[in-house]
Structures are given as C-alpha cells and as structure tokens.
Amino acid sequence: MYINSIDSIALDIEYQERCLRRFKKRLRDTAKYDKYSLVASCRNGTPRYYMVVRENGKEVRSYLGCKDMKIRKILQERHYLKKAIEACESNLYYLNNAVENYELIDPEVIVRDSAKAYREQDNARKLLYGVSGASEWRENALKEKEMYRIYRPEDLKHTTMDESLTRSKSEALIYNMLMMKGIPFVYELPTYIGGKLIDPDFTLYNENTGSKVILEHLGMTGDEDYRARQYEKLDIYLKSGFVINRDMILSCDSADGIIDVYTIAKTVDNVLGRK
C-alpha cells in the first residue's frame, strides 16, 4: 500500500490545534497570575515554594505554605501551558509547511500529468513500490475504521450478505455486488480528504495500481440533511482534485427509487481496469 503521510499529518494538525485552543483558554482563565512566577528551595530535605513578582524593579518573594498549595499548582500549570503552547505553535508551523510541500510518491499521481509514453508498466511500478495485497489493505483499513466513532449508528438498518449493516437498501445491494465480484472495499471508511474527515460510502481498492477509488451512491436525495452532506462531500472531492470515473464513482437511484446495479457494476469494472 502506498503510504500517504498527509492523512497522518492532518490528524496531527487537528490534534495540535485542539490542544492549542484548550491551552490558551486555560491560560486566559488564570490571567490574573500572569505577572507571577515560581521558585523553589530545599530546607532539611523539604521543598519550599515562593511566588515571585517584580515591583518597582525589585523581585519580591512570597512564601507559599500549605494553605497556598492551589496557587502553587496554578503557577506550575501556567508554566507548562506556556511551554506547551510554544511547542504546539512550532509544530503547527512545520506540519502545515510539510503539507504545502509534501509530494505523493503514488505512481498514479506522479504519472498523471506525464506524457503518454510514461503511463504504462503498471505492474512494474506496483512491484517497485512494494504495493501490499488487497487482503492486507482491507485488514488495515478495517482496523483504522475501528478507531473512529460511527456516525448515527441507529441509521444502519439494512443487512448485507456478510451481516454488515448499511444505511439504505441501495447501499446494501451495492455492498453485496462488490462482495460477489470479489472487489476489495470498506464501507464508510473515515478518510481525511482536503483536510476534512469524511465517510465515503464505499472505498474500493484498485488491485492493478494499489490506489483507492471512492464510490458515492446518491440515494436519499429527498432527505434535506442527507442531500446537504452529499453535496458537501462532492465539493470536497472536486476541490481536492478528484476526477469522476477515475478517482471516484458516482451512482444514484432513478426518480422512482429504482437502482441499476448492473450499470454500477460495469462502471466499477471499467474504473478499476477489471476485465
């Protein structure tokens, strides 16, 4: 499998930004201690803590006994927060810089804009990059999926051939079709695309190239919330450079709610280069 570090970096950026907001808020909440610092000395093996403030150019120390333990803890926490904020801001600078300058080594990405003469030899590139097998990809993807909370699990009501659950009958039919054709896939695999975490309906594994293809089925278009989420996902795909029938497959029910699984299956075969 090609390793796309951008996804890991995006997760780290989100975590660091979340910590930074929390650290800054806590620092603001204790702002009245901004002028104070903490020093310690040891007497007879017992640490003694002093609160220090500068007044008229002089350093004034106040001994913090047991009754002022709360103040000591606040000053210790503020020191940590300041150091942690510096680290987060530095990390975010370098992480965002990495995102801007990172280049995928996925051969499909590298040759995308190359001359036709350089677009052959898929199998050779596959061996060169050490692409892992489909079973290993699916196993790793399922483990990754377990790390995330399921969006509205109560909406998963339709049982598939392997006793998994989908949100609609049409998705269950597509799920079963992919299983019967032996296409490696994962249903609703959380994925960072364009810096946002989304759940594509189906993530397919292209065994010829080792790349992934998104399959989105636009089924419940009569539901306003569902329609808004689908439009948002499509906007993210397109702004991230996804091309229909290359990086993603779109399918939908007819106006009277009928699904054409045969046509969807043929489209999947064509996009994945299956004969």
Side-chain angles (χ1 to χ4, degrees):
M1 184 189 307
Y2 309 118
I3 298 176
N4 180 359
S5 296
I6 290 296
D7 293 342
S8 298
I9 293 174
L11 281 171
D12 197 6
I13 288 175
E14 181 186 10
Y15 173 71
Q16 299 267 350
E17 288 178 339
R18 188 165 62 248
C19 288
L20 187 60
R21 290 192 296 271
R22 187 163 60 247
F23 295 160
K24 286 185 174 180
K25 182 182 184 303
R26 177 57 180 165
L27 205 59
R28 290 194 301 270
D29 291 342
T30 57
K32 67 178 183 179
Y33 296 97
D34 192 45
K35 297 180 180 180
Y36 300 94
S37 59
L38 189 70
V39 297
S41 62
C42 189
R43 179 177 297 179
N44 299 324
T46 302
R48 298 172 63 86
Y49 295 91
Y50 298 85
M51 183 170 66
V52 181
V53 64
R54 296 193 69 82
E55 295 179 352
N56 300 320
K58 295 183 179 180
E59 186 179 273
V60 178
R61 294 190 177 191
S62 301
Y63 174 65
L64 298 177
C66 295
K67 65 178 181 179
D68 291 323
M69 187 175 294
K70 179 180 178 181
I71 295 177
R72 171 164 62 87
K73 289 184 176 181
I74 290 175
L75 293 176
Q76 289 172 332
E77 181 186 43
R78 284 180 58 82
H79 174 78
Y80 163 77
L81 290 170
K82 291 176 181 178
K83 293 294 184 181
I85 287 172
E86 289 179 6
C88 282
E89 290 177 338
S90 175
N91 290 342
L92 286 169
Y93 171 81
Y94 288 109
L95 288 170
N96 283 300
N97 190 55
V99 170
E100 292 178 5
N101 295 280
Y102 187 88
E103 294 187 26
L104 294 172
I105 64 168
D106 184 334
E108 296 305 307
V109 174
I110 292 174
V111 304
R112 183 174 296 166
D113 299 321
S114 301
K116 185 176 180 179
Y118 299 100
R119 298 179 185 174
E120 306 298 331
Q121 303 297 321
D122 285 341
N123 290 333
R125 290 202 302 271
K126 178 179 177 181
L127 293 174
L128 179 65
Y129 281 79
V131 178
S132 65
S135 59
E136 183 179 347
W137 170 82
R138 190 169 188 276
E139 180 181 352
N140 291 334
L142 289 173
K143 288 180 181 178
E144 183 176 351
K145 180 178 178 179
E146 291 177 355
M147 298 170 59
Y148 297 88
R149 294 178 60 182
I150 298 175
Y151 173 76
R152 292 175 61 170
E154 66 275 11
D155 291 342
L156 295 167
K157 300 177 180 179
H158 303 276
T159 308
T160 64
M161 292 171 58
D162 65 354
E163 298 185 348
S164 296
L165 296 174
T166 64
R167 301 183 188 278
S168 69
K169 293 179 181 179
S170 293
E171 287 182 345
L173 288 170
I174 294 173
Y175 190 108
N176 291 339
M177 176 271 292
L178 294 172
M179 280 191 62
M180 292 176 68
K181 292 178 70 65
I183 295 174
F185 74 95
V186 174
Y187 179 70
E188 292 193 345
L189 174 65
T191 306
Y192 271 94
I193 299 175
K196 296 185 178 180
L197 183 65
I198 57 179
D199 298 334
D201 290 341
F202 299 91
T203 302
L204 317 182
Y205 179 80
N206 190 329
E207 295 179 273
N208 292 319
T209 64
S211 60
K212 293 180 290 186
V213 175
I214 300 302
L215 193 162
E216 290 285 0
H217 183 73
L218 311 178
M220 300 180 292
T221 53
D223 184 301
E224 185 175 347
D225 290 341
Y226 173 87
R227 189 169 60 248
R229 291 199 311 275
Q230 290 297 323
Y231 288 162
E232 182 181 3
K233 283 201 287 187
L234 292 178
D235 185 57
I236 292 172
Y237 293 142
L238 296 175
K239 287 183 178 178
S240 299
F242 280 62
V243 176
I244 297 174
N245 288 344
R246 187 192 70 188
D247 312 299
M248 66 174 173
I249 299 168
L250 299 180
S251 61
C252 63
D253 294 343
S254 65
D256 51 1
I258 296 175
I259 180 173
D260 184 353
V261 179
Y262 175 79
T263 298
I264 297 173
K266 293 293 290 183
T267 302
V268 169
D269 283 341
N270 290 334
V271 173
L272 297 183
R274 294 166 59 96
K275 298 181 179 179

